[in-house]
């Protein structure tokens, strides 16, 4: 038995049974009138009841694929597949290439374009050929392949972006603009955000997992204090951190205390008159988030800022075979270190 549709919940699940499983499967099928079911290659799909241990478990379509066996179309619940697995053994799941996997879960046009480009390449075969090339040629090729793979992996693995800052700086409003929807509660009351909230978004064509956190400030209760502690944990887990500051009031002592050289500093409330900012609290961008209509501009500004910080080229196809999964990347890195290239 082989599962042709993706595992998990779906509207319909399609399973094929090898010719050797043919008679065992037919023994589990009953016509709508309760009679025995036969299969005829080339005949239209046949509707039948799937009966396991004398219980009708589903209403199915059966197609005779001749030498390729019998195909069953079931309701998509994994429960039915699980029952079939008890009778026929766990279903084989066809291997999906990293490019097809990216194609299935893409959230942006750029990820789709990269996945379609990479479908044309057989990366493991390319790496095997590389391994047998003359050293100088191999080094040049490996350098390019590593560059392409760094960009390709940035399309595959979302970068964890954590928004931190003092209470009321505008973190949750910025979070909502970046996601294009009102995901987090935002408002003038301090302490509205307690638990960290995270969601996926594509910014400038690259995937991000964006995390909104509780604001730093006066903890009026142990609950507030725990919320701030959780924000500190999230900050430490971030690949990149944006320190959100209120551009209309100027830097506070809390802003100064939260500043570190590797954070990006983004001022919100750019629609209001701006306060003076001392150069030591370097501002990387100023955005206006009051109006949802400004989401596109905010996303473009922050997306460009992040891409610049990560030294990434415009998102999309990379112009040659590239690693899209950790297995291929590891092989590539092993080849590179054997060829004496520095680790990327
Ligand atoms: N005028 C203006 N108000 C904003 C902007 N961003 C946030 N605010 C307001 O600032 C207050 C605090 O925002 P919020 O996102 O909840 O701050 P947080 O505590 O850092 O999450 C809310 O009343 C928002 O409407 C902005 O860009 N412009
Ligand atoms: Mg908030």
């Amino acid at each position: 038995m082989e599962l042709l549709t993706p595992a998990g919940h779906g509207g319909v699940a399609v399973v094929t049974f090898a010719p050797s499983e043919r008679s065992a499967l037919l023994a589990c099928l009953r016509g709508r009138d309760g009679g025995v079911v036969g299969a005829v290659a080339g005949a239209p799909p046949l509707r039948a009841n799937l009966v396991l241990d004398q219980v009708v478990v589903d209403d199915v379509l059966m197609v005779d694929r001749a030498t390729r066996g019998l195909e069953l179309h079931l309701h998509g619940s994994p429960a039915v597949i699980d029952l079939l697995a008890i009778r026929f053994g766990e279903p084989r799941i066809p291997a999906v290439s990293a490019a097809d996997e990216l194609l299935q879960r893409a959230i942006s046009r750029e990820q789709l374009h990269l996945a379609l480009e990479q479908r044309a390449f057989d990366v493991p075969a390319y790496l095997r050929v590389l391994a047998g090339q003359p050293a100088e040629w191999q080094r040049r090729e490996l350098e390019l392949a590593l560059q392409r793979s760094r960009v390709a992996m940035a399309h595959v693995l979302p970068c964890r972006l954590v928004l931190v800052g003092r209470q009321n700086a505008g973190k949750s409003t910025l979070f909502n603009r970046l996601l294009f929807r009102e995901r987090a509660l935002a408002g003038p009351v301090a302490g509205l955000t307690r638990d960290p909230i995270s969601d996926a978004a594509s910014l400038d064509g690259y995937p991000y997992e964006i995390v909104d956190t509780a604001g730093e400030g006066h903890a009026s209760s142990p609950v507030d204090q725990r919320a701030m502690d959780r924000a500190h944990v999230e900050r430490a887990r971030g690949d990149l951190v944006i320190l959100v500051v209120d551009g209309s009031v100027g830097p506070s002592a809390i802003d100064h205390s939260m500043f570190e050289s590797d954070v990006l500093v983004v001022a919100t409330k750019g629609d209001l008159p701006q306060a003076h900012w001392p150069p030591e609290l370097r501002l990387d961008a100023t955005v206006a988030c009051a109006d949802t209509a400004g989401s596109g501009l905010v996303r473009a500004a922050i997306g460009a800022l992040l891409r610049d910080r990560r030294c990434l080229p415009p998102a999309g196809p990379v112009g040659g075979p590239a690693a899209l999964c950790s297995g291929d990347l590891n092989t590539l890195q092993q080849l590179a270190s054997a060829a004496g290239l520095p680790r990327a």
Side-chain angles (χ1 to χ4, degrees):
M1 164 171 138
E2 178 165 340
L3 187 60
L4 298 187
T5 40
H9 296 265
V12 172
V14 180
V15 185
T16 54
F17 293 80
S20 57
E21 295 169 310
R22 186 182 184 91
S23 52
L25 176 65
L26 286 174
C28 301
L29 296 178
R30 287 286 171 273
R32 313 273 297 159
D33 57 359
V36 174
V37 165
V40 182
L46 184 89
R47 195 164 163 189
N49 285 333
L50 176 64
V51 184
L52 296 170
D53 286 334
Q54 292 164 18
V55 177
V56 176
V57 295
D58 203 3
D59 178 6
V60 302
L61 286 178
M62 191 265 291
V63 186
D64 190 342
R65 298 281 185 207
T67 52
R68 283 182 289 141
L70 294 179
E71 187 175 289
L72 274 199
H73 296 220
L74 313 145
H75 286 101
S77 161
V80 184
I81 301 285
D82 289 349
L83 288 173
L84 273 172
I86 294 171
R87 177 75 182 72
F88 291 90
E90 282 300 320
R92 278 188 308 280
I93 298 176
V96 176
S97 71
D100 280 345
E101 208 259 322
L102 182 62
L103 202 57
Q104 282 172 13
R105 62 171 183 78
I107 60 165
S108 70
R109 201 177 40 185
E110 292 79 5
Q111 279 182 325
L112 282 176
H113 285 166
L114 176 72
L116 289 172
E117 176 199 51
Q118 293 298 315
R119 266 183 133 191
F121 302 120
D122 180 344
V123 176
Y126 164 76
L127 294 175
R128 281 195 298 276
V129 170
L130 256 186
Q133 298 302 315
E136 201 35 52
W137 188 87
Q138 197 191 102
R139 281 167 67 92
R140 257 201 326 274
E141 253 318 283
L142 281 169
E143 253 167 22
L144 293 173
L146 279 170
Q147 278 170 25
R148 289 194 301 266
S149 298
R150 177 179 164 268
V151 178
M153 290 302 287
H155 283 86
V156 173
L157 300 176
C159 171
R160 197 172 168 83
L161 173 68
V162 183
L163 308 182
V164 303
R166 70 169 177 77
Q167 292 168 344
N168 273 327
K171 297 176 296 300
S172 298
T173 312
L174 172 61
F175 179 70
N176 289 341
R177 298 296 165 270
L178 292 176
L179 294 176
F180 248 137
R181 63 196 179 95
E182 300 306 288
R183 173 76 169 82
L185 280 179
V189 182
L192 261 187
T193 310
R194 287 246 154 96
D195 290 315
I197 309 176
S198 71
D199 216 326
S202 170
L203 297 175
D204 215 4
Y206 287 95
Y208 289 87
E209 184 69 28
I210 310 177
V211 187
D212 182 26
T213 61
E216 194 69 24
H218 172 65
S220 52
S221 70
V223 177
D224 275 348
Q225 188 54 56
R226 280 201 294 276
M228 284 180 215
D229 292 345
R230 283 196 291 272
H232 300 159
V233 171
E234 289 301 325
R235 176 178 177 153
R237 292 178 57 210
D239 298 316
L240 275 177
V241 173
I242 289 186
L243 174 60
V244 180
V245 296
D246 183 338
S248 68
V249 299
S252 66
I254 296 178
D255 294 333
H256 280 286
S257 72
M258 297 186 81
F259 179 76
E260 277 174 29
S261 59
D262 60 340
V263 302
L264 289 158
V265 183
V266 172
T268 54
K269 314 196 187 183
D271 52 308
L272 302 176
Q274 295 297 286
H276 169 72
W277 281 88
E280 68 270 17
L281 201 63
R282 173 212 72 231
L283 266 189
D284 293 297
T286 300
V287 289
C289 296
D291 192 352
T292 52
S295 283
L297 284 177
V298 174
R299 284 167 50 81
I302 302 295
L305 178 66
L306 296 171
R307 187 161 74 76
D308 188 52
R309 165 58 67 94
R310 299 170 71 197
C311 301
L312 289 169
V318 293
L324 290 181
C325 62
S326 54
D328 288 346
L329 187 63
N330 285 343
T331 310
L332 184 57
Q333 282 169 340
Q334 277 161 17
L335 285 174
S337 67
L341 290 172
R343 215 180 154 76

